[in-house]
Amino acid sequence: MKDFCKRLALVLLFVFVRSSAALNLSSIANPAAAAAVAAEHHHQKSISRSNDDDDADQRRRRTLIQDQEQEWGRQEDDQQQRDRSCRSTGNPIDDCWRCDPHWHSHRKRLADCAIGFGKNTIGGRDGDFYTVTDSSDDPVNPRPGSLRYGAIQDRPLWIIFARDMTIVLSQELIVNSHKTIDGRGHAVRIAYGGCLTVQYVRNVIVHGIGIHSCRRTGPAMVRSSPGHVGWRTVSDGDGISIFGSRDVWIDHCFLADCADGLIDAIMGSTGITISNNYFRDHNKVMLLGHSDSYTLDKMMQVTIAFNHFGEGLVQRMPRCRYGYFHIVNNHYTHWRMYAIGGSANPTINSQGNRFVAPADVNSKQVTKREFAGERSWMKWNWRSEGDSYINGAYFRPSGAGSAAVYAKASSLPARPAALVPAMTAFAGPLNCRHHVSC
């Protein structure tokens, strides 16, 4: 009996050793998987230690990240299907570059694809490439390799990223002139801190970046160029704040859940195109125009094209003051109050959009005029041409509709609204990989 017990113990010991070795070999053979398991274990322990409020906040953040990853992963894995999908949308920006399987070698070709009022934007096309290798941030003395270090330089730069990264900015990042921030090829997020400020500069492209959970920062000292550090008051917490700037193009970005607006353009900014972006989970989405008393915004021209305004949005898609606004071939699938609003007599040219009204019978109207009586706003030039209205949505036009006026609010030919779902199907950051079309 003793011999039998000894033999049984030896067998069990042998099985245990073999199993442990297999596990160790599996970890060695696939260190990424092991690291992922360890990271997940650590993550679960962290959640268990948090209180109920922290749990809710982390769940919301994880939901945003997971949803954004789904947007990054929408392209088919089969290259033939991917090539077919990029050629069939009729989206002129994507048709310009997306089907090139060697896009990573021809990144600067993107600068030739801008449309609308921001069509002259070339970003950092005429400069060198700068690779972000460091996700850390120092607002006064940024380290070489960090995003801030590249974005504040006085010379043109085309900024790319070495790997997937989430950048938490301790203060707002003041982007200098002649810059492209190009997130293609990696999952790049700017989140949970300050976000982007484009102030009194020109020629800025932001492409393929996830921007969400932006918070107010400051007051603090912040460097805006190699030779200047200045005092900044408390920021609004916009995802992208465009202030007194021109020739700005925001394309294929994901924007959600910021302290103020997702994109605001004010103080005489003009020559702007906002295209192919995916917006969700936010109240005041987009403000174009500083105030009803700031008449320099009468020169503002903005194109809003091929965007998807999605889940959890409330209002301001956009809200306009003064200026000329071409809203063309966008997909509006959610709003709670209204989609397009304004005050101070802006000219709004809505063409070829698809509006899907919410179930609430009080929120079917696409448009909203503010701070003016009907006798006044009926003179404002707001028109709808070729738009599609679903589930009871409707647009209240106004104004005399002179061709000369709308010429200033026309920036590209509108395509039929029936094509909008296809043209906006890839809104947000694309899942670009080397040697494969995006």
Side-chain angles (χ1 to χ4, degrees), residues 327-335 339-340 350-358 364-366 383-395 414-421 423:
I327 302 171
V328 54
N329 290 143
N330 299 282
H331 202 183
Y332 291 83
T333 57
H334 293 79
W335 69 82
I340 299 170
S350 174
Q351 294 183 308
N353 300 287
R354 187 173 189 269
F355 297 100
V356 182
K364 300 294 187 182
Q365 186 176 171
V366 170
R383 78 174 179 185
S384 169
E385 284 191 344
D387 292 320
S388 174
Y389 298 100
I390 313 297
N391 198 33
Y394 67 97
F395 184 112
R415 295 181 62 81
L419 300 178
V420 163
M423 290 189 291

Side-chain angles (χ1 to χ4, degrees), residues 354-370:
R354 187 173 189 269
F355 297 100
V356 182
D360 185 352
V361 296
N362 297 311
S363 300
K364 300 294 187 182
Q365 186 176 171
V366 170
T367 51
K368 181 181 181 181
R369 280 84 168 177
E370 297 187 290

Side-chain angles (χ1 to χ4, degrees), residues 239-254:
I240 302 176
S241 175
I242 305 169
F243 190 104
S245 298
R246 63 179 303 124
D247 301 327
V248 179
W249 182 24
I250 313 299
D251 188 55
H252 274 296
C253 291
F254 170 87

Side-chain angles (χ1 to χ4, degrees), residues 322-326 345-349 380-382 405-406 408-409:
Y322 297 113
Y324 301 89
F325 306 95
H326 195 192
N345 192 17
T347 298
I348 294 177
N349 186 14
W380 299 356
N381 291 302
W382 293 26
V405 169
Y406 283 114
K408 295 181 180 179

Side-chain angles (χ1 to χ4, degrees), residues 7 16 27 38 90 113 129 140 194 300-301 303 315 381 397 407:
R7 286 196 297 273
F16 174 78
S27 298
C113 301
F129 284 102
V140 176
M300 182 180 288
Q301 290 180 299
T303 300
Q315 60 178 319
N381 291 302

Side-chain angles (χ1 to χ4, degrees), residues 3-45:
D3 291 339
F4 173 78
C5 291
K6 288 180 180 179
R7 286 196 297 273
L8 180 60
L10 287 172
V11 169
L12 292 174
L13 179 61
F14 177 76
V15 171
F16 174 78
V17 171
R18 284 290 301 273
S19 299
S20 299
L23 286 171
N24 288 334
L25 286 172
S26 173
S27 298
I28 294 169
N30 191 355
V37 171
E40 179 64 19
H41 178 65
H42 174 73
H43 182 58
Q44 294 299 330
K45 287 177 65 179

Side-chain angles (χ1 to χ4, degrees), residues 90 178 244 268 309 343:
H178 310 298
F309 295 93
S343 61

Side-chain angles (χ1 to χ4, degrees), residues 60-61 64 190-195 211-215 256-259:
R60 179 178 56 79
R61 289 182 177 184
L64 276 176
I190 299 172
Y192 313 126
C195 285
I211 301 173
H212 65 86
S213 308
C214 301
R215 300 296 172 245
D257 184 38
C258 293

